[in-house]
Amino acid sequence: RVRYAKGSYFVLKGGRSACPFRRLIYPLPEIGGLGVHLTLDLGGQPRFGPDVEFLPGEPSSFDDIYDVSASRAPDFERAIRAYWPEMPSGMLEPSYAGIRAKLPSGDFGVFGPDER
């Protein structure tokens, strides 16, 4: 059975000038995803995410599903400090969220003609 997961992203206050990194950073994967990683948009602005928040049903049944709660910032700070221990507190701002389908076996499945 497919489950749905919300993935939230945060941006760094101060943008590119506040970030010491100029390359992508991927921590070790965690249950349900790749972990909170650092990506850079086309303008070089840093963003952190996504986390994994499993949803208890179909995404269409939720109001404000794409809102990102600032209350998730402490969990993001903890995850980011695994690769940026000196990150100042309070530097994250909620950005955007997305929904993705997750298979029980992981992100991908390979099926033969009899299993489709």
Side-chain angles (χ1 to χ4, degrees):
R1 182 177 178 271
V2 172
R3 294 178 64 194
Y4 294 94
K6 176 180 178 178
S8 296
Y9 287 83
F10 279 77
V11 294
L12 194 62
K13 291 178 187 174
R16 185 167 53 182
S17 63
C19 184
F21 306 108
R22 298 294 175 256
R23 305 231 188 298
L24 307 179
I25 297 180
Y26 283 82
L28 292 173
E30 60 185 32
I31 294 174
L34 294 175
V36 172
H37 49 274
L38 166 70
T39 58
L40 304 170
D41 66 18
L42 294 175
Q45 300 300 319
R47 60 180 153 207
F48 298 93
D51 61 352
V52 176
E53 178 185 355
F54 284 104
L55 303 175
E58 297 291 323
S60 61
S61 66
F62 300 102
D63 293 329
D64 304 323
I65 192 69
Y66 294 104
D67 290 347
V68 177
S69 172
S71 68
R72 300 185 79 75
D75 290 335
F76 270 74
E77 285 184 3
R78 226 178 342 275
I80 295 164
R81 285 201 174 96
Y83 52 87
W84 185 15
E86 304 84 15
M87 183 184 78
S89 295
M91 292 290 292
L92 299 177
E93 293 180 331
S95 184
Y96 66 95
I99 307 298
R100 59 197 184 277
K102 304 289 264 180
L103 296 171
S105 60
D107 279 338
F108 304 98
V110 177
F111 302 99
D114 296 334
E115 300 168 298
R116 287 188 230 168

